[in-house]
Amino acid sequence: IMKKSILLFCGIFMLLANLSAQVNFNIIQNIKGRNITNLDGKWHYIVDPYNTGDERKFFMNKQQENDSELLEYDFSTAPTINVPGDWNSQKEELKYYEGIVWFQRDFVAHPQNGKRYFLNFGAANYKAEVYLNGRLLGSHEGGFTPFQFEISDKIADGDNFIVVKTDNTRYAENVPSDNYDWWNYGGITRDVVLAETNETYVNDYSLQLTQDMKNLTGYVQLKGMQTSQEITVQVLEANLQIKIPTNSSGRATFIFPIKNVELWTPENPQLYTIKIFANTDTATDRIGFRTIETRGKDILLNGKSIFLRGVCLHEENPFIPGKPRSKADLKMLLSWAKELNCNYVRLAHYPHNEYVSHLADEMGLLLWEEIPVYWNVEFNNGITYENAKQQMSELIYRDKNRASVIIWSIGNETPNTDTRLKFMSDLADHVRRMDTTRLVSAALLGGIDSTNTFRLSDNLADKLDIISFNEYIGWYGQNAADIPQYRFDVMADKPVVVSEFGAEALGGFYADSATRFSEEMQELFYKNQLKLISSIPALRGTSPWILVDFRSPKRLNPIYQEGWNRKGLYTETGKKKKAFFVMKAWYDAQEKKYR
Ligand code: GCB
């Protein structure tokens, strides 16, 4: 009997170990709200197209000791580049470079006894291998989600150095795969910070409104030796406070009634200051409270039917052009969406900078967040699935406290095959296991039959809360003037959100509406599309493609594109095209209808 129970115990233990190995949640929640030192700025870099650095041990960051010594690399005299930032937009000679680049910087630290230290990266595209003082900390795959390493036993008093090997080579088995319609910006593209905590610290927490809107519910997770503590959770502006013990694994889950809490809406994006006090740590955040659900054809925010007046966005600053390098860059893009009278933004096609969901919380924009399961990934490859699942988990873990985020999207325009149905269905189930409080969707593909009727026949739709699809009637295969000959047959008993439609125009190129790439053709396209889309009975939102022109190596018309996808409602210099005003007028009308 004894043996059996030991076996059973081991079995359960292994199961748990296995589960936690799949998802690395050793990331401090909302790290910007902690005791951190920013490590952004100038980093040295070495371009390594032949992967020489492993063999030569670049991670040792060696300096020449005497004049006769042969050293075939040297970070200290190598050029520098800004972090965060992609290399393509910072160095003319690296505009098209894809491959390995090594980064290095020094920093000085004075670690204190009894404290813990963590190195946290907002994102690096696509793979990153991180070394501190010559020792490997670990690696991360996926270009758009955060990762972190504990360095308490490796950080030195005085001089330290970090070396990061990044590699953005495109491979078919990656997520995204090797073909996509955006620029494969490489490098350390988001902030790098050093965090200091006490031995036992608040690693994670969640706080949300319950569906009946009567309670706040959530948890706090401590990490460290002193797992059993009494913690206090405060909602400052609402004068709420609860005290609750954590269990032996450092977790406290709670639910408590609320009164007089103003609900978060795009019109009134009320946020509350949250303070979490443990004996050994404090965490703070700003969180909004709202509910989201669907009922029949309606999307209900706090129980009230809404229309998603959206637009798609890539994480790119057209002025650089390249990855946004600051919160201000991202705020500029969201303000442009606000000028279009949006209450919603689709963050395509990968997790955007963490600042975006915080800004959306503050500015009153609902969000669709997505992982790069885009077009044709290897749906029959188990490793690819685990990779997609990991990226989804990291995104949900990161943004679960953001009121703005209402939809998790598991992918974009994936082909309708059996292996893909299994892959995507499993992914949808995984999302629901991680988060029962938000909606699940994906941008699907439809088809047009011989009677010019657009239909969706995708069984994945059964797995989704919102039916979304991309369609380009009037651009690919037709002209804007042809749109009135087409109709939709999308008889959904769920809300429909058209996730993409769009046409290209080179800003400032004026002709007639039959001329490709003219602002007039794009304008006519929007007028006709909006009539067509309005005929969908369950229509509850739209996100035209796209807010701003963006760079894509697939767009090679030498006169009108020059490496830019021109479907923006804004040009790459921030000018509104004619179609912008058509879309805005339509959103003004929708706003009145749903007031
Ligand atoms: C799509 C894709 C998007 C492209 C767009 C286009 O359906 O989702 O990534 O950029 O079409 O411009 O063709």
Side-chain angles (χ1 to χ4, degrees), residues 181-182 314 346 349 374-375 412-413 470 472 476 500 504 545 550 555 565 567:
D181 192 22
W182 67 85
H314 262 307
R346 174 181 177 218
H349 289 294
Y374 180 93
W375 292 351
N412 178 76
E413 292 188 357
N470 302 346
Y472 284 86
Y476 293 117
E500 284 180 30
E504 297 197 38
W545 188 259
F550 63 99
R555 305 295 171 173
N565 182 318
K567 295 193 186 72

Side-chain angles (χ1 to χ4, degrees), residues 77-216:
T77 51
T80 61
I81 198 164
N82 285 315
V83 169
D86 61 272
W87 63 61
N88 316 73
S89 66
Q90 295 192 58
K91 305 282 166 181
E92 189 52 38
E93 69 277 18
L94 297 182
K95 179 174 173 186
Y96 290 99
Y97 180 74
E98 296 179 293
I100 297 166
V101 175
W102 295 76
F103 295 88
Q104 185 277 341
R105 77 159 281 162
D106 299 319
F107 70 96
V108 173
H110 297 294
Q112 311 288 306
N113 266 341
K115 300 274 185 194
R116 297 172 73 161
Y117 296 87
F118 301 90
L119 206 51
N120 181 293
F121 293 79
N125 191 31
Y126 169 86
K127 263 190 194 162
E129 219 170 77
V130 184
Y131 299 83
L132 179 70
N133 301 329
R135 291 161 73 189
L136 178 66
L137 298 175
S139 62
H140 181 263
E141 186 169 346
F144 309 97
T145 42
F147 50 98
Q148 176 183 297
F149 306 101
E150 177 156 18
I151 56 169
S152 307
D153 60 346
K154 298 186 183 74
I155 191 169
D157 191 16
D159 295 333
N160 288 268
F161 64 90
I162 309 171
V163 173
V164 183
K165 178 189 185 186
T166 62
D167 185 355
N168 75 334
T169 309
R170 284 170 295 113
Y171 291 106
E173 67 268 26
N174 286 356
V175 181
S177 198
D178 53 2
N179 182 29
Y180 41 86
D181 192 22
W182 67 85
W183 207 276
N184 180 23
Y185 292 112
I188 305 174
T189 51
R190 295 183 193 155
D191 295 333
V192 184
V193 301
L194 170 69
E196 182 192 88
T197 70
N198 282 333
E199 191 283 324
T200 300
Y201 62 98
V202 176
N203 182 59
D204 187 24
Y205 52 84
S206 147
L207 194 58
Q208 289 187 313
L209 188 65
T210 54
Q211 203 58 49
D212 63 9
M213 301 189 206
K214 291 186 179 138
N215 298 287
L216 291 185

Side-chain angles (χ1 to χ4, degrees), residues 320-331:
I320 295 177
K323 281 278 166 203
R325 297 182 200 155
S326 67
K327 194 171 179 180
D329 283 10
L330 297 157
K331 190 167 183 178

Side-chain angles (χ1 to χ4, degrees), residues 46-63 69-75 102 131 134 163 165:
I46 299 174
V47 184
D48 184 16
Y50 286 15
N51 194 14
T52 300
D54 287 329
E55 192 190 306
R56 299 245 166 93
K57 299 201 166 79
F58 284 7
F59 53 86
M60 295 304 294
N61 183 30
K62 236 179 134 341
Q63 317 276 299
E69 189 184 354
L70 173 65
L71 194 60
E72 292 193 80
Y73 78 96
D74 181 6
F75 279 114
W102 295 76
Y131 299 83
V163 173
K165 178 189 185 186

Side-chain angles (χ1 to χ4, degrees), residues 27 43 69 101 110 143 155 186 224 236 240 268 343 350 356 360 378 389 455 465 467 519 527 554:
I27 297 179
W43 290 50
E69 189 184 354
V101 175
H110 297 294
I155 191 169
L236 282 195
L240 280 168
N268 177 32
N343 62 1
Y350 40 75
V356 177
E378 289 190 351
K389 185 176 158 194
R455 288 178 216 281
D465 297 309
I467 307 300
E519 285 206 28
K527 283 184 180 157
K554 295 174 78 71

